[in-house]
Amino acid sequence: MGLTFIISFISNVGSGSEAVAQPANYLTGVKTAFFVAFLFAVTGLLLSLFLESEKQAGERG
């Protein structure tokens, strides 16, 4: 699913309004896709800090 998001960002941002694909537009799409993937990774990392294992939760109560 992540690959689908990355490819869609590259396609949407990289295509631009021109009929002929320009390398600079493609690179802009790649940069945007990697930035979005980075945001998803950081969000996942931060959310994982709030998870508790079942063993620890069982000991508490």
Side-chain angles (χ1 to χ4, degrees):
M1 193 165 109
L3 184 60
T4 305
F5 283 120
I6 289 175
I7 291 172
S8 69
F9 275 102
I10 292 172
S11 299
N12 290 336
V13 176
S15 64
S17 60
E18 302 174 7
V20 178
Q22 298 293 322
N25 292 343
Y26 178 75
L27 289 176
T28 302
V30 171
K31 287 179 185 179
T32 304
F34 275 102
F35 181 70
V36 170
F38 171 75
L39 290 179
F40 277 117
V42 169
T43 302
L45 175 67
L46 292 176
L47 290 175
S48 72
L49 297 175
F50 295 106
L51 293 176
E52 294 184 20
S53 69
E54 291 182 23
K55 183 178 178 182
Q56 291 175 348
E59 292 174 357
R60 291 184 183 173

